Amino acid sequence: MYSNELLGKPIFGKELIIENKTTSKLGLNSLDDLIKFKTENNLEVGTYYVGINIYEEIPIHSFGVLETIPIPKNIATVHIHFSKKKEFNYDKGFAVQKYFDGYSHLGFLIVDLPKMKNIIEAEYGDKQLDLVYEFSNTEIIEKLFQEEIIALIWGINPFTYPLYSTNNVEALKPLLGEKFKDEGVFNLKEDIEFFSIIPGYDLKNWHSILKKDYPKIKIYGKGKTVHLSPYALIDSDKSITTTSFLLHRSKEILKEAKPLLNIDLLYDKTVIG
């Protein structure tokens, strides 16, 4: 699922399974009611229209090992909202992009592909390359980092992961859950707004990368330091249910790139918080 809109229905999934047109009413007439139903909107005592919407997100790609994993790869979201008015306004006044896809252990890249092509061809010419090998055994990845055109995560659990970019990190955090201790931090040129999202499994065939039209994501914020931060939603049994990634810029000073490598995003709760 790919969303290029302000926060609203598309952020929860393109396929709406059930929609309740917010016709129910709920009276919050006591302090106990407020404590029980209090949300980020800071509800006051009174009567509210309540809407319940259920969405499903389906990854763009599902392949190989993902087909054999005996757990759900789609994401179902139940959105409960309270409003004094009968029509609920989804627009929270900030921008967000979202991309939902499946990845192998090789993760994914966020990259300016035309500039990457120029650098690769200057180094190797028009050769077919296995960039998994080249990134692991040569200095080319360091050159791409130095040119401030690439961010990557590598060595993760094969699974499906949402990727968000927003201009209001704090407002989006309730959807993301708890932040992992580690994050990727990179310098990316400020004059580049949109970066291609390339799955790591494509790196084995450089020429095939050049033939594909990859989705792009806008990185919001000010500054050239870009944070690629994993977050996890935890259920009542303290198990990780969903892991997401958040992209945003900051004005922190970063001397060199810090890729996010070899991290357990699904089972190791000690890496969170």
Side-chain angles (χ1 to χ4, degrees), residues 130-145:
D130 177 350
L131 289 181
V132 175
Y133 176 85
E134 300 300 327
F135 284 0
S136 302
N137 294 280
T138 73
E139 300 298 320
I140 189 63
I141 187 63
E142 293 300 328
K143 187 170 184 61
L144 295 171
F145 285 145

Side-chain angles (χ1 to χ4, degrees), residues 27 43 47 61 65 143 164 167 172 179 196 211 236 239 261 269:
L43 300 182
T47 300
H61 302 102
V65 66
K143 187 170 184 61
Y164 297 87
N167 62 357
L172 196 63
K179 188 177 180 181
S196 297
K211 296 176 183 177
S236 58
S239 297
L261 304 173
K269 297 186 291 296

